[in-house]
């Protein structure tokens, strides 16, 4: 059985059923799940799972050709980058700011659509939210639920309800504290959120294209929304080696825009 993150992070020793990230000398990461008799095969040779099981997190493991791998439990960020995907995910660079912009706290009731591969859902659930997700595609809904379970364990599914629904249509669910949208035409969901989000509630929308942002902003400007702001998050890594201390040559220059707003009582 897959161990949940909650139980997995307590002990230092890596156990059967846990997920582990193996990192090579060039910082490449490989996600495996430990099973008795299992084997990790890489370009540099094989590491039997039995060599890893029972060792401390952070240990080094070597292949027969002496290639070195470090074993660590995956972070949420590792999970999002390595988990099976259906739809395109929201990357850790944007997930962090979304958690702050939505101001999620334990027990917050969150509306999310679409759920896609469940990357954002996992981040929201991990921050303690109760999530109601609307997803139009059954296969994506199933993938999102299995990705959530893979990282957070089956108990997280008690706080995660996914409905196969078109979010552009009116909904009966009510009393959400927060709403997060990642779908092509978020402005079509805004009128429904004006009824289902509680006054003072926060909406955060992720959009890859500025044309989408413009349409969304026009719709928000017509409704009882305030504190409306659109941002983008730039994440640039640096190369730091001896006297060569400079930004890396390559970066992900664009993922999406984040627009956030609060619902007024008028
Ligand atoms: N935020 C997700 C990715 C969402 S991708 C993650 O981090 O993993 C966008 C999703 O919106 C897709 O799964 C797509 O099927 C869904 N979608 C598109 N239109 C929709 C609609 N009208 N109602 C509900 N879901 C919709």
């Amino acid at each position: 059985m897959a161990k949940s993150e909650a139980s997995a992070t307590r002990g230092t020793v890596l156990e059967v059923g846990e997920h582990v990230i193996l990192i090579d000398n060039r910082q490449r990461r490989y996600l495996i799940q430990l099973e008795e008799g299992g084997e990790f095969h890489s370009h540099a040779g094989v590491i039997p799972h039995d060599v890893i099981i029972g060792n401390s997190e952070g240990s080094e493991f070597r292949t027969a050709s002496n290639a070195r791998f470090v074993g660590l439990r995956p972070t949420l960020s590792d999970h999002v980058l390595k988990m099976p995907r259906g739809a395109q995910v929201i990357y850790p660079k944007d997930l962090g700011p979304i958690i702050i912009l939505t101001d999620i706290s334990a027990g917050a009731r969150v509306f999310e659509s679409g759920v896609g591969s469940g990357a954002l859902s996992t981040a929201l659930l991990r921050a303690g939210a109760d999530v109601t997700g609307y997803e139009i595609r059954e296969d994506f809904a199933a993938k999102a639920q299995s990705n959530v379970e893979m990282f957070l364990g089956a108990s997280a599914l008690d706080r995660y309800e996914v409905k196969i629904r078109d979010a552009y249509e009116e909904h009966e669910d009510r009393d959400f504290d927060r709403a997060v949208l990642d779908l092509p035409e978020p402005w079509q969901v805004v009128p429904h959120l004006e009824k289902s989000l509680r006054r003072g509630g926060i909406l955060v929308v992720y959009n890859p294209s500025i044309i989408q942002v413009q349409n969304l902003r026009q719709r928000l400007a017509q409704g009882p929304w305030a504190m409306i702001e659109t941002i983008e998050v730039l994440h640039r890594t640096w190369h730091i080696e001896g006297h060569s201390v400079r930004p890396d040559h390559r970066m992900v220059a664009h993922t999406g825009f984040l627009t956030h707003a609060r619902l007024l009582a008028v």
Side-chain angles (χ1 to χ4, degrees):
M1 196 190 79
K3 290 220 163 207
S4 73
E5 182 210 28
S7 64
T9 45
R10 285 201 189 104
T12 42
V13 168
L14 299 170
E15 292 175 35
V16 172
E18 283 196 62
H19 288 94
V20 174
I21 290 273
L22 292 175
I23 305 150
D24 71 8
N25 277 345
R26 295 174 59 189
Q27 303 302 312
R28 284 177 297 202
R29 290 151 188 245
Y30 304 87
L31 180 66
I32 62 166
Q33 185 173 16
L34 295 176
E35 30 178 314
E36 275 170 45
E39 288 183 333
F40 165 68
H41 289 257
S42 78
H43 54 282
V46 175
I47 298 176
H49 289 196
D50 293 344
V51 169
I52 303 171
I53 294 163
N55 271 291
S56 167
E57 182 177 10
S59 299
E60 280 184 18
F61 306 102
R62 288 177 189 268
T63 64
S65 59
N66 217 27
R68 176 176 158 270
F69 288 83
V70 171
L72 290 167
R73 292 190 173 103
T75 61
L76 172 57
S77 173
D78 293 323
H79 171 71
V80 165
L81 297 176
K82 293 289 179 191
M83 72 188 197
R85 289 191 195 166
Q88 175 67 267
V89 300
I90 297 183
Y91 284 98
K93 161 177 100 62
D94 299 299
L95 290 174
I98 289 173
I99 294 298
I100 289 293
L101 290 172
T102 44
D103 195 36
I104 298 295
S105 55
R109 289 200 62 211
V110 181
F111 176 87
E112 187 198 352
S113 189
V115 302
S117 305
L120 175 58
S121 303
T122 308
L124 294 166
L125 290 161
R126 200 203 205 188
D130 288 359
V131 177
T132 300
Y134 283 13
E135 170 56 56
I136 209 161
R137 282 186 52 170
E138 218 159 311
D139 53 339
F140 286 169
K143 175 86 63 183
Q145 281 164 310
S146 73
N147 280 336
V148 161
E149 182 175 356
M150 177 179 170
F151 189 67
L152 296 176
S155 63
L157 299 178
D158 297 344
R159 295 183 287 119
Y160 189 38
E161 186 181 16
V162 181
K163 299 185 175 180
I164 309 300
R165 289 201 51 155
D166 182 345
Y168 300 158
E169 286 170 10
E170 199 151 341
H171 54 248
E172 315 70 48
D173 287 304
R174 287 288 180 270
D175 297 325
F176 292 110
D177 300 306
R178 309 287 186 245
V180 198
L181 301 176
D182 174 13
L183 37 61
E185 299 187 4
W187 53 92
Q188 290 211 49
V189 191
V190 169
H192 313 315
L193 290 175
E194 288 171 358
K195 296 181 196 145
S196 66
L197 194 59
R198 73 165 171 78
R199 309 295 108 172
I202 298 173
L203 167 66
V204 178
V205 184
Y206 174 92
N207 283 131
S209 161
I210 201 69
I211 305 290
Q212 292 170 303
V213 173
Q214 191 180 34
N215 279 325
L216 172 68
R217 294 289 302 248
Q218 275 170 2
R219 178 58 189 81
L220 290 173
Q222 290 162 15
W225 299 92
M227 327 262 299
I228 311 172
E229 188 181 54
T230 298
I231 65 164
E232 60 177 320
V233 178
L234 303 180
H235 174 136
R236 185 168 69 162
T237 57
W238 281 57
H239 175 89
I240 299 186
E241 205 176 288
H243 290 290
S244 172
V245 180
R246 52 161 176 80
D248 279 326
H249 292 132
R250 291 163 200 266
M251 71 183 279
V252 176
H254 180 66
T255 52
F257 302 99
L258 300 176
T259 301
H260 61 109
R262 298 197 73 167
L263 187 62
L264 299 182
V266 287

